[in-house]
Amino acid sequence: QVQLVESGGGSVQTGGTLRLSCAASEYPENRYCMGWFRQHPGEEREAIARIYVNGTIIYSDSVKGRFTISQDSTKKTAYLQMDSLKPEDTAIYYCAADPIFATPWGPRCRSQFGYWGQGTTVTVSS
């Protein structure tokens, strides 16, 4: 069973920065597609950043230009650099991953993530 261990959440003031990390344990031979989600109180979880197997990166409009997702060369750890934080960024942040698998057409990931981190809280005060 793949476990995703998150770290880096905390409390900052408006305009501050935080960097979240997410490391996949178990199955050291695996590589992963990874993404970040967040959930505001009383709302559904929303996708905010994702790295596809070909390296394409997408962001939600709410974080584009302020947040940066990256992944280490082993594709087992993902990061979310969060700059210019706003109070509306206050949420629980979750990382997600799914193993990269080989196909005759090259490496692929499933469209849905199968593994999730435990969540880390980010609080931005005004």
Side-chain angles (χ1 to χ4, degrees), residues 17-52:
T17 65
L18 283 172
R19 188 182 193 222
L20 307 183
S21 299
C22 173
S25 65
E26 309 298 332
Y27 309 108
E29 69 277 11
N30 281 0
R31 299 178 302 138
Y32 299 91
C33 291
M34 302 182 83
W36 288 94
F37 293 69
R38 70 183 181 187
Q39 189 168 20
H40 294 103
E43 297 183 10
E44 293 186 357
R45 193 174 300 184
E46 65 167 325
I48 58 173
R50 176 170 183 160
I51 298 179
Y52 287 85

Side-chain angles (χ1 to χ4, degrees), residues 36-116:
W36 288 94
F37 293 69
R38 70 183 181 187
Q39 189 168 20
H40 294 103
E43 297 183 10
E44 293 186 357
R45 193 174 300 184
E46 65 167 325
I48 58 173
R50 176 170 183 160
I51 298 179
Y52 287 85
V53 67
N54 64 359
T56 299
I57 292 175
I58 60 170
Y59 297 98
S60 67
D61 288 342
S62 59
V63 305
K64 193 178 299 181
R66 299 187 298 120
F67 290 10
T68 304
I69 186 173
S70 61
Q71 202 173 11
D72 72 347
S73 59
T74 67
K75 295 190 180 296
K76 299 181 194 303
T77 301
Y79 305 94
L80 186 68
Q81 177 67 37
M82 304 187 294
D83 299 323
S84 302
L85 282 162
K86 306 175 182 179
E88 51 263 44
D89 294 319
T90 296
I92 300 175
Y93 285 71
Y94 298 89
C95 71
D98 214 63
I100 296 171
F101 57 92
T103 76
W105 304 276
R108 294 287 188 271
C109 274
R110 297 184 303 178
S111 58
Q112 300 296 322
F113 291 108
Y115 301 99
W116 294 83

